[in-house]
Amino acid sequence: MNRNAHSWDHRLQAYGRAVVRFRWLVIAASLGVIGLLGAGTTRLVINDDYRLFFSDDNPQLQAFEAMQNIYAKNDNILFVVTPEDGEVFSPRTLAAIEELTTGAWQIPFVNRVDSVTNFQHTEAEGDDLIVEALVEGADGLSPENLERVRAIALAEPLLAHRLVSPAADITGVNAVLQMPRDIPDETQQAAFAARQLAEQVSRNHPGIEVRLTGFVFLNNAFKEASLDDLTLLMPLMYLVIVVFLALLFRSFWATFATVVVIITATVGATGAAGWLGTPVTSPMAIAPTLILTLAVADSIHLLKGMLVKMRQGMDKIDALIESLRVNAWPIFLTSATTAIGFLSMNFSDAPPFQDLGNTTSIGVSLAFLISMTLLPALISILPLRAGSVRRQTDSDFWRRFADHVITHRRRFLWGGALVVMVFAMAVPRNVLNDQFVEYFAPRIEFRRDTDYAIERLTGIYQVEYSLEAGDSGGISEPEYLAKLDAFADWWRQQPGVVHVRTLADTMKRINRSMHGDDDAYHRLPEERDLAAQYLLLYEMSLPYGLDLNDEISIDKSATRFSITFGDLTARELIDAAQRGEAWLRDNAPPAMHAVAAGPALMFAHLSQRNIRGMLTGTLSALVLISFLLIFALRSLRFGLLSLVPNLAPAALAFGIWGLIVAQVNIGLSMVLAMTLGIVVDDSVHFLAKYLRGRRERGYEPPDAVRYAFESVGGALWTTSAVLTAGFIVLSFSAFDMNAGMGRLTAITIVLALVTDFLLLPALLLTFDRRQRQPVVLPAGTESASVAPSGAPS
């Protein structure tokens, strides 16, 4: 062992003795700092706005906000009404719709309500244009009037496939809200009022079922998923960890000390997030679960090393100091690489995942500091005795396992390389797909109700264009209206399209009504002045709240054109929007050329934008981790060699995912960068023990491999089991981004352990063949004498 390493070991021993000597001061200072950080948890606020998933420079967000600035904002609540008898146009059902429509106006922040009952139908009466609600006094409608209402509604483009199903067995009431965006609980206020109204209508009208969806309930679902994760996952993870630790240590006090570490690290990190003003979003809600999962590894390595020494007869304090000396550097390296992996999430295009990465990296760093300060100080005063520790029974197992790997090293090397290459070939099968409805588990009510609405009534995925006419009042130009109509006809022929909303349909209806309801005039007006007059007359006849402000710009120079889709994938939605843009470029005047916008399109693009950023983040993390390992291992060869077992698990995991699932959303697109820092932990600890055997003990590669397995094999198995269990718990998240990330990360960690136990030793035995001479160190150090081949100190 070289002089610098020897000097470093002495410094660590001196540090350990100082921590033990001033243990009460260390405990008080540590808890004081954690207390100050933890006070920030009172500043944490759940933010449920879906716009938080998009960075300020996101082009799809900018296009959407530009449209929102021109027209009325369209945050909405859609009441999906299903009559038990399957007939919407009955007095009983229409009376329920009337009550629901009237009640919806009382929901906080509502500025418009649309339904089949208050639809503003136009009719001619002599030379006058009559605009009135389609249904008034539903209880008193005759069968003839009911049939008339039914015929009008099913033939009306603004209602069919939007607010009434083709079979007339389901209908909808759409409430549009103008959210102020500055009231903390505005979404909850609106959602609560809507749910109360739905329950009231169901009570007053037996046999009427009311479901709720829309963007207000999308926002509310983000909050519900966050609370669900916080209340379910954290207690479950604590239970899993306590069980694992109890089985590992067979010691109440060792388990207690480790739980103290993970609690203080979690409290400190979440408190730091509060002081930094980090909003709690659905991704951020799993940060505490991630931190307590990752924080446990440091304690396991430190305590397991100490308990081994105690079983060999060493005093508790001496065993603690020796474990600090041996494990401090590997624990630091693994903490640093894990933090780097999570910090690389700052390259994500979604701010909530940046917050998750930063908060988790803070937690991992705090866990290291606490493991080096509070944990040893606490252990030094706890009544932990060697007699309370299970005797070592796995040494023979790890020796036999090491012998098996050594004997079959070529088989593991070439077989492992072949398996990695085969599964890596399946990685391109993964398709990027982000659909916001599928972000939520079916146990979230929004997911169930939205799936029902998409299947039975209408789509929820929309693409919109703001189509300019070129000048003020230009929307009345016949050529402009003709292009709108042609664009609508083209869209109605496209696959997956459920509904198209355009001013052209309204103008056709007005023109027919102005000509005595003659169907021959169900066409666009042929003169601009005439169209402008019709439009003005129609707008003046509309009641308050049902005007055209959400469809026409103030100066009448542009209109909003909306397409509603069924259950399309993100890729299909992007392709459809781009086809629409291409149609405008090829068939419409330059003024009408427009970029598609809408929340569904924003989410559809999110994975693609994110994957580009995360490729940069992953490469950056890989470079930093590589330099760190080369420096720490003091070897370019071993540093580069470690990249193989660190990258292979991700290739295997994504290959398996491509064969089984084949879809990747924004959460999964960050697993590579995130797990890169985690899977390095096993290889670092294995390499550290291997190199200690080579450099301090002068072992040949086979004996160094045996030493590594016997020294750290059990700890690696345990920490990997805990991490895997933690991420399996995460797979139960109500937020599918988090759940998918948990499943794929758990697969990666298992594969990393297999790789480090089989492929890494084979690599070391193949590429490290230089002879080593035993080195005798001064008495009192760990390596004062060289142990027999295969026997750990």
Side-chain angles (χ1 to χ4, degrees):
M1 184 174 68
N2 65 42
R3 185 174 300 175
N4 289 335
H6 187 59
S7 175
W8 176 252
D9 280 356
H10 275 294
R11 290 194 186 98
L12 285 174
Q13 287 175 326
Y15 170 78
R17 286 192 290 270
V19 169
V20 171
R21 180 182 178 186
F22 300 104
R23 51 187 175 271
W24 291 108
L25 178 61
V26 170
I27 292 172
S30 300
L31 294 179
V33 171
I34 294 300
L36 290 175
L37 287 173
T41 56
T42 60
R43 301 167 61 91
L44 291 171
V45 176
I46 294 179
N47 193 321
D48 51 24
D49 189 350
Y50 67 85
R51 290 172 178 81
L52 286 177
F53 278 86
F54 307 95
S55 57
D56 292 338
D57 61 350
N58 184 293
Q60 286 78 39
L61 175 63
Q62 292 174 347
F64 177 65
E65 290 185 334
M67 181 170 292
Q68 295 260 301
N69 291 332
I70 297 173
Y71 309 99
K73 299 186 185 301
N74 64 347
D75 287 332
N76 74 309
I77 296 173
L78 178 62
F79 297 85
V80 181
V81 182
T82 306
E84 189 177 55
D85 60 7
E87 180 53 62
V88 167
F89 297 101
S90 67
R92 184 182 67 163
T93 303
L94 290 176
I97 298 302
E98 281 189 307
E99 180 181 337
L100 187 56
T101 302
T102 302
W105 285 102
Q106 306 305 314
I107 295 173
F109 318 118
V110 163
N111 65 357
R112 182 186 181 95
V113 180
D114 290 292
S115 69
V116 293
T117 58
N118 77 345
F119 173 71
Q120 297 302 295
H121 177 58
T122 59
E123 286 185 319
E125 191 171 292
D127 293 333
D128 296 328
L129 177 67
I130 304 301
V131 182
E132 60 185 6
L134 182 60
V135 176
E136 289 183 327
D139 288 334
L141 289 179
S142 66
E144 293 79 10
N145 281 334
L146 288 172
E147 189 58 36
R148 169 183 167 273
V149 168
R150 178 190 180 97
I152 291 172
L154 293 179
E156 175 52 53
L158 291 179
L159 293 177
H161 297 282
R162 179 170 173 252
L163 294 180
V164 63
S165 65
D169 59 343
I170 299 177
T171 187
V173 175
N174 190 55
V176 180
L177 292 79
Q178 190 85 18
M179 307 294 279
R181 306 287 179 203
D182 57 1
I183 299 176
D185 62 343
E186 58 188 25
T187 299
Q188 288 69 51
Q189 288 184 40
F192 179 74
R195 281 177 172 151
Q196 282 193 316
L197 176 60
E199 291 170 1
Q200 174 188 314
V201 171
S202 295
R203 283 196 307 270
N204 296 343
H205 302 271
I208 299 294
E209 180 188 61
V210 183
R211 298 172 183 254
L212 293 156
T213 182
F215 281 94
V216 169
F217 276 88
L218 168 65
N219 281 340
N220 195 61
F222 280 118
K223 182 169 186 176
E224 288 181 344
S226 301
L227 292 173
D228 188 274
D229 284 355
L230 287 170
T231 56
L232 172 66
L233 299 187
M234 281 192 64
L236 183 58
M237 191 59 231
Y238 272 114
L239 176 63
V240 169
I241 285 180
V242 169
V243 170
F244 264 96
L245 293 175
L247 292 175
L248 170 68
F249 295 131
R250 300 291 178 92
S251 165
F252 171 81
W253 294 114
T255 302
F256 170 78
T258 306
V259 171
V260 169
V261 171
I262 62 178
I263 289 176
T264 51
T266 304
V267 170
T270 52
W275 288 117
L276 293 172
T278 304
V280 178
T281 57
S282 296
M284 254 296 293
I286 66 167
T289 306
L290 283 179
I291 293 166
L292 66 92
T293 303
L294 297 167
V296 74
D298 295 349
S299 301
I300 287 177
H301 282 288
L302 192 64
L303 288 174
K304 187 144 180 83
M306 182 192 76
L307 296 176
V308 168
K309 297 298 178 186
M310 291 175 67
R311 283 196 292 268
Q312 295 173 352
M314 191 176 287
D315 174 77
K316 182 183 75 170
I317 299 300
D318 291 337
L320 174 62
I321 294 172
E322 177 63 11
S323 184
L324 271 174
R325 181 187 78 84
V326 173
N327 290 293
W329 188 236
I331 290 175
F332 168 76
L333 282 179
T334 56
S335 300
T337 56
T338 302
I340 289 171
F342 278 96
L343 285 173
S344 70
M345 293 171 71
N346 281 283
F347 289 89
S348 169
D349 194 56
F353 285 98
Q354 298 174 12
D355 296 335
L356 172 63
N358 291 333
T359 303
T360 306
S361 66
I362 292 172
V364 170
S365 302
L366 280 175
F368 167 73
L369 294 174
I370 293 168
S371 297
M372 294 295 107
T373 53
L374 178 61
L375 178 62
L378 192 61
I379 286 294
S380 70
I381 63 172
L382 293 177
L384 182 62
R385 296 183 301 273
S388 65
V389 180
R390 178 170 57 96
R391 294 189 60 81
Q392 184 177 4
T393 60
D394 58 355
S395 179
D396 289 342
F397 168 80
W398 289 114
R399 187 179 296 111
R400 289 195 303 270
F401 187 89
D403 289 339
H404 181 74
V405 173
I406 293 167
T407 301
H408 301 285
R409 57 183 178 273
R410 292 187 182 278
R411 184 178 301 173
F412 287 128
L413 178 63
W414 298 112
L418 179 61
V419 170
V420 171
M421 286 189 292
V422 168
F423 279 100
M425 292 172 64
V427 172
R429 288 176 52 87
N430 290 295
V431 178
L432 297 177
N433 187 31
D434 265 295
Q435 294 171 283
F436 58 77
V437 172
E438 296 183 2
Y439 285 171
F440 305 96
R443 70 174 180 269
I444 297 295
E445 190 176 19
F446 167 77
R447 169 68 184 273
R448 299 195 303 272
D449 289 353
T450 303
D451 285 343
Y452 181 87
I454 291 174
E455 180 184 351
R456 304 287 299 277
L457 177 62
T458 187
I460 196 171
Y461 301 114
Q462 282 193 336
V463 168
E464 298 182 316
Y465 300 87
S466 179
L467 301 178
E468 296 283 342
D471 63 338
S472 179
I475 63 171
S476 298
E477 193 68 53
E479 290 80 4
Y480 175 81
L481 291 172
K483 285 299 179 185
L484 283 183
D485 197 33
F487 195 33
D489 288 341
W490 178 82
W491 267 114
R492 289 179 179 122
Q493 304 303 314
Q494 302 305 303
V497 173
V498 174
H499 182 264
V500 177
R501 183 187 180 194
T502 172
L503 178 66
D505 289 333
T506 302
M507 295 302 297
K508 288 180 183 179
R509 178 161 52 88
I510 298 172
N511 190 48
R512 179 180 61 188
S513 296
M514 294 303 295
H515 288 84
D517 291 324
D518 186 349
D519 287 340
Y521 286 90
H522 189 257
R523 61 176 187 260
L524 296 169
E526 297 177 354
E527 299 176 10
R528 173 170 174 163
D529 290 345
L530 187 63
Q533 291 174 14
Y534 287 172
L535 186 59
L536 178 61
L537 180 60
Y538 178 69
E539 287 187 288
M540 292 176 62
S541 303
L542 292 172
Y544 174 78
L546 295 177
D547 52 40
L548 297 179
N549 288 343
D550 66 333
E551 192 175 0
I552 298 175
S553 64
I554 294 176
D555 63 351
K556 293 182 171 55
S557 65
T559 63
R560 186 184 214 154
F561 188 100
S562 303
I563 309 101
T564 302
F565 296 88
D567 194 15
L568 292 187
T569 66
R571 183 67 262 171
E572 290 169 338
L573 191 66
I574 292 172
D575 290 343
Q578 291 174 345
R579 291 199 307 272
E581 294 171 9
W583 190 96
L584 290 172
R585 290 192 300 270
D586 296 339
N587 300 280
M592 291 184 72
H593 297 179
V595 175
L601 201 57
M602 290 155 55
F603 280 106
H605 277 282
L606 192 56
S607 283
Q608 293 188 339
R609 285 182 54 82
N610 192 73
I611 198 69
R612 290 192 291 269
M614 289 314 301
L615 283 174
T616 303
T618 302
L619 289 174
S620 301
L622 182 61
V623 170
L624 285 174
I625 290 173
S626 299
F627 277 118
L628 183 61
L629 293 180
I630 291 169
F631 170 76
L633 300 174
R634 304 194 305 280
S635 169
L636 175 64
R637 180 160 51 105
F638 285 112
L640 295 178
L641 200 63
S642 69
L643 295 181
V644 176
N646 293 336
L647 294 176
L652 290 167
F654 275 95
I656 293 172
W657 195 266
L659 293 172
I660 298 174
V661 182
Q663 287 196 355
V664 175
N665 60 28
I666 182 176
L668 298 185
S669 68
M670 286 178 294
V671 168
L672 176 58
M674 186 179 75
T675 57
L676 181 62
I678 298 174
V679 301
V680 167
D681 293 9
D682 289 352
S683 58
V684 164
H685 280 287
F686 192 93
L687 279 169
K689 293 300 185 291
Y690 175 84
L691 291 176
R692 186 174 288 273
R694 290 285 277 148
R695 291 168 177 169
E696 289 188 8
R697 299 171 173 274
Y699 288 162
E700 294 305 312
D703 288 335
V705 166
R706 293 186 183 94
Y707 172 71
F709 270 116
E710 293 182 61
S711 299
V712 81
L716 293 183
W717 167 260
T718 303
T719 55
S720 296
V722 172
L723 288 172
T724 302
F727 283 98
I728 288 175
V729 168
L730 186 59
S731 71
F732 292 101
S733 170
F735 192 56
D736 192 64
M737 276 190 189
N738 297 341
M741 185 166 29
R743 287 189 288 269
L744 185 54
T745 304
I747 293 171
T748 306
I749 291 171
V750 170
L751 293 171
L753 183 66
V754 174
T755 303
D756 285 314
F757 277 4
L758 301 180
L759 184 58
L760 178 57
L763 286 168
L764 293 172
L765 292 168
T766 302
F767 294 99
D768 183 27
R769 297 185 176 182
R770 289 185 300 176
Q771 298 295 313
R772 287 276 177 181
Q773 295 300 319
V775 178
V776 180
L777 299 176
T781 65
E782 182 196 19
S783 303
S785 62
V786 180
S789 178
S793 61

